[in-house]
Every structure is written in structure tokens, then in C-alpha cells.
Amino acid sequence: YRDELKPYGRLLRKRVMERAEARGSRVSKRAIEQLRTTCDSSSWLSVQAEEGGDWSVLIRGQPECFVEIHSPEDRYPTKLWMEAEAYFGSMADDTALPGGRYSCAQTLMSRQLSFLSGLSLGSVCHFVQLAISEKKILGHLNGAIVPYSRSMSKAKEMRAQGLQPMETSEEGVAMATWESLRPCLLTIFSDHQPEDAPIALANLKRVIRLRCNIDLSETAL
């Protein structure tokens, strides 16, 4: 509650393990697995089901004041973003931050950065989310968070401006164009029967390659 982070099950598991490590001890796998049962058994806690199979725990009678991490609302001053952009822009090329919002926020708070002074851990998690999704100050690369200029999103953006693929196709496999992609998709979906399993969007590139022998690249289109 003090960190303004809603106590989701995944976060509570992390916190339990963090506190154990800080004491120099370990938490058994069984104890972690029984965490929800332990919370359910408490009369002053309310366990609620959440989307995606997760769950959360609230303290009965305690006001909720959690930061909505995924909110696109920017409630931070312009000066903060200017200082953040200057800070991350000066990071060495071989440095990176942890890939998750929570771990990244913890690392940033441990550095006692002036532009994040006074913000709760929940607010810094929200800051990281906005820096990635809205401000293009941070981005992802190889599972880590890096300055946007070094991120995969920036590389894709540059490739897309020149209509260039991110990777070259194997020999004998052509790169998809709008002219070759349209009849390919028409064939795939025309052959798809009602009793067939839906084609997952994540598998569409593979299906196009197998059926039409072309590689689909978003940046090349």
C-alpha cells in the first residue's frame, strides 16, 4: 500500500522472496505456492480474482490508493521528462536496466535520481511504462530496458522508414510485397474450414512462409 502498487499475487510472491533474501534466508517453493491459501485464511484480507488467472489481496477497510501502471495519462511535469531524457541519453552503450517494469523501477529508485525524487515505487513503475509506450525515451532490447535510441523499436522504426526488412530472407524465399501477400492471405483463409482451429496471429508469419514461401516483414511493408 505504501508503494501504491496493487498487491497482485505475482507481486506478493516477489516481495516475499525479496524480504527473505534481505534476511539471508530462502523461501521454500511450497510456501510460495501456498501464499494465496494463507491470504484466503485471514479474516482481515480480501482475495480477489484478476484477469489472466492472477489474483490480488486487499486489506479490508483500507482505502485503495494504487497507481494504475498501464494508464496512458501523463501526470508528471515537463521538467521531469526533460531531465529523464537527458539522463538516459547519457547512459553508456554497454549499460542496460532490468527488463521488467517493477525491477527497472527498483533499480532507478536505488540510484536516487533527482527527477524521480518523491515518487512512490508504483509511480516510478508508471513512469517506466510511459517512457516506453508514450515518450520513446526507453525501449526493449534482448530482454533488457535500454535508451530508446538503442532499442529494437528504434531499429524497426528506422528500417520501416526505408521499407527495409529487419532480417534477410533465406535463399529461395522471397520477401513479401503487397502484391504477393494479398493472394497468399486469400488462399490461406479460403482454405480455412469452420471446423479448423483459428490461426493465431503469432503464428501467421510461419503459416505464410509454409504456404506461400514468402517472408512477411512489417518494416518492409
Side-chain angles (χ1 to χ4, degrees):
Y1 275 69
R2 186 164 50 247
D3 287 333
E4 297 184 316
L5 284 169
K6 188 171 183 178
Y8 288 102
R10 62 182 183 274
L11 180 57
L12 290 174
R13 288 189 286 269
K14 287 182 180 179
R15 283 294 178 87
V16 169
M17 295 175 68
E18 287 172 0
R19 293 198 171 197
E21 290 175 1
R23 295 194 304 268
S25 59
R26 298 181 63 182
V27 182
S28 68
K29 183 179 180 181
R30 180 177 177 80
I32 292 296
E33 292 174 345
Q34 292 181 333
L35 183 57
R36 177 167 182 170
T37 302
T38 302
C39 294
D40 269 323
S41 65
S42 173
S43 60
W44 53 277
L45 295 178
S46 173
V47 179
Q48 302 177 349
E50 300 287 348
E51 293 182 2
D54 203 356
W55 49 279
S56 63
V57 182
L58 301 177
I59 302 174
R60 298 183 187 277
Q62 185 78 9
E64 298 180 25
C65 54
F66 308 124
V67 175
E68 177 49 61
I69 305 300
H70 297 283
S71 171
E73 180 185 357
D74 179 7
R75 54 190 182 87
Y76 309 104
T78 302
K79 182 181 178 183
L80 180 149
W81 291 114
M82 292 176 63
E83 292 181 8
E85 189 168 11
Y87 173 77
F88 293 117
S90 65
M91 283 178 60
D93 290 343
D94 59 347
T95 58
L97 295 163
R101 283 187 305 268
Y102 175 77
S103 298
C104 180
Q106 285 184 312
T107 298
L108 292 176
M109 291 191 74
S110 71
R111 296 181 180 182
Q112 299 182 334
L113 301 171
S114 60
F115 58 88
L116 297 179
S117 176
L119 296 183
S120 66
L121 181 57
S123 291
V124 178
C125 286
H126 184 224
F127 159 83
V128 172
Q129 174 67 18
L130 289 179
I132 295 172
S133 62
E134 303 291 336
K135 300 295 185 177
K136 293 186 176 181
I137 293 176
L138 296 174
H140 288 98
L141 180 67
N142 299 328
I145 292 178
V146 297
Y148 183 77
S149 60
R150 291 165 42 205
S151 69
M152 181 59 68
S153 295
K154 178 61 175 181
K156 287 184 176 181
E157 180 183 304
M158 297 300 292
R159 287 282 184 172
Q161 289 177 359
L163 297 179
Q164 296 294 319
M166 289 298 294
E167 298 177 356
T168 57
S169 297
E170 295 180 7
E171 186 176 352
V173 180
M175 188 61 64
T177 64
W178 287 116
E179 289 70 22
S180 63
L181 183 59
R182 291 189 183 97
C184 176
L185 291 174
L186 182 61
T187 299
I188 291 172
F189 292 121
S190 296
D191 292 345
H192 195 267
Q193 301 300 314
E195 62 272 15
D196 293 339
I199 301 174
L201 187 60
N203 295 331
L204 188 56
K205 283 187 178 182
R206 181 177 59 83
V207 173
I208 290 173
R209 199 173 199 273
L210 290 173
R211 292 292 303 275
C212 306
N213 199 39
I214 57 176
D215 273 338
L216 177 61
S217 171
E218 302 95 318
T219 57
L221 296 175

